[in-house]
Amino acid sequence: MILDIFFPNRCIHCNRIIDGDLLVCNVCFEQIHFTHFNFFENNYILEKCKLLFPIENAFALMQFEKENLSRKIIHELKYKSREKVGKILAEWTTERLDFKNEKPDLLVSVPLHPKKLKERGYNQLHLFTEILSKFYEIPFSHDLIKRNYYSKAQALKNRQHRLEIENTFSITKNISGKNILLIDDVFTTGNTLSSIAWEILKTGNNKVNILVMAMDE
């Protein structure tokens, strides 16, 4: 296509020209710090979550270290209008996450406040969740959780502000007896996921698992 000639797709890290459906070149791909966690075994994010709420299993795709390529990837997805990055991250996830014969019943994405959704134009988790849903043949819900208050981006908050999230979320419908996989982009303090997890847990005999694109130690 003409656009590909004049505006070729480039690696977000080294600026090398790459195929249109890629995000980084092969050389830079090797610099991404994948966690290699096993969903059903003890791992760092599972231990962090256990301190906050009852949890079954947890998985993080990448490490979210300072100056790390994974941080640049997430920022491309969230702040640079590149929603399709979610598809690439989902594909990387399916190559590394095996549910075996114990698949969750439902995939649930962390919501944006309607005002934030309008500002960004998309929820960075929706395409990611939908690709996973299709691959694993697990239904998903983007509206089970409601965000009650508008807030600044996590990257712009100080630590104290991040802790002020009580009653931020609510459940839109009654669910019971479900094994839910709660999906978010980055695990930092874990307070956002904890707030949602408790809402899910108190609605019925539900179980909560966690999947994040990246985790910040």
Side-chain angles (χ1 to χ4, degrees):
M1 295 177 63
I2 297 297
L3 287 178
D4 293 331
I5 296 175
F6 291 100
F7 302 99
N9 187 38
R10 293 181 178 273
C11 173
I12 66 169
H13 191 54
C14 71
N15 210 38
R16 182 181 286 114
I17 295 175
I18 55 178
D19 290 345
D21 58 346
L22 298 179
L23 183 62
V24 295
C25 67
N26 291 335
V27 174
C28 291
F29 181 80
E30 297 300 321
Q31 299 180 40
I32 299 173
H33 294 170
F34 292 106
T35 66
H36 305 292
F37 288 163
N38 185 315
F39 183 70
F40 294 103
E41 294 180 0
N42 198 34
N43 56 57
Y44 185 75
I45 189 172
L46 181 63
E47 287 299 310
K48 297 286 282 187
C49 289
K50 282 180 178 179
L51 299 175
L52 301 171
F53 57 90
I55 182 172
E56 301 298 313
N57 304 292
F59 180 85
L61 177 63
M62 304 178 292
Q63 300 285 357
F64 194 67
E65 302 159 344
K66 187 176 181 180
E67 305 303 327
N68 189 288
L69 181 52
S70 62
R71 184 178 293 265
K72 186 177 293 186
I73 291 170
I74 298 296
H75 282 201
E76 289 284 320
L77 171 63
K78 294 180 68 173
Y79 307 120
K80 296 190 177 181
S81 301
R82 297 190 64 175
E83 184 180 9
K84 289 185 178 180
V85 172
K87 178 178 183 295
I88 296 171
L89 290 170
E91 291 170 350
W92 292 350
T93 301
T94 60
E95 294 168 357
R96 293 165 175 80
L97 174 57
D98 184 2
F99 290 122
K100 301 178 182 177
N101 295 319
E102 299 180 42
K103 294 192 299 185
D105 300 318
L106 182 67
L107 308 183
V108 175
S109 54
V110 173
L112 295 177
H113 187 273
K115 182 178 178 181
K116 178 63 69 62
L117 183 60
K118 185 176 180 179
E119 291 173 354
R120 185 170 295 169
Y122 61 95
N123 182 314
Q124 70 274 10
L125 299 174
H126 283 185
L127 183 58
F128 178 80
T129 301
E130 290 159 15
I131 297 296
L132 296 183
S133 172
K134 183 176 181 180
F135 180 86
Y136 292 114
E137 298 183 329
I138 302 172
F140 68 87
S141 173
H142 294 324
D143 58 7
L144 177 66
I145 310 298
K146 176 185 176 183
R147 187 183 288 266
N148 298 318
Y149 305 107
Y150 175 80
S151 61
K152 296 178 181 178
Q154 285 287 339
L156 302 179
K157 294 181 181 179
N158 58 36
R159 183 175 178 84
Q160 180 60 35
H161 198 173
R162 292 181 191 179
L163 296 175
E164 298 172 356
I165 61 170
E166 191 172 353
N167 300 319
T168 299
F169 302 96
S170 58
I171 301 292
T172 61
K173 52 190 172 184
N174 292 328
I175 52 170
S176 182
K178 297 293 185 182
N179 188 24
I180 293 174
L181 181 66
L182 182 57
I183 298 174
D184 202 2
D185 46 26
V186 179
F187 182 99
T188 50
T189 63
N191 286 289
T192 294
L193 291 170
S194 178
S195 179
I196 297 174
W198 281 112
E199 291 297 323
I200 293 173
L201 291 167
K202 72 184 184 182
T203 60
N205 186 29
N206 299 306
K207 297 179 180 179
V208 173
N209 306 270
I210 296 298
L211 165 60
V212 294
M213 297 172 178
M215 65 171 299
D216 191 345
E217 295 187 11

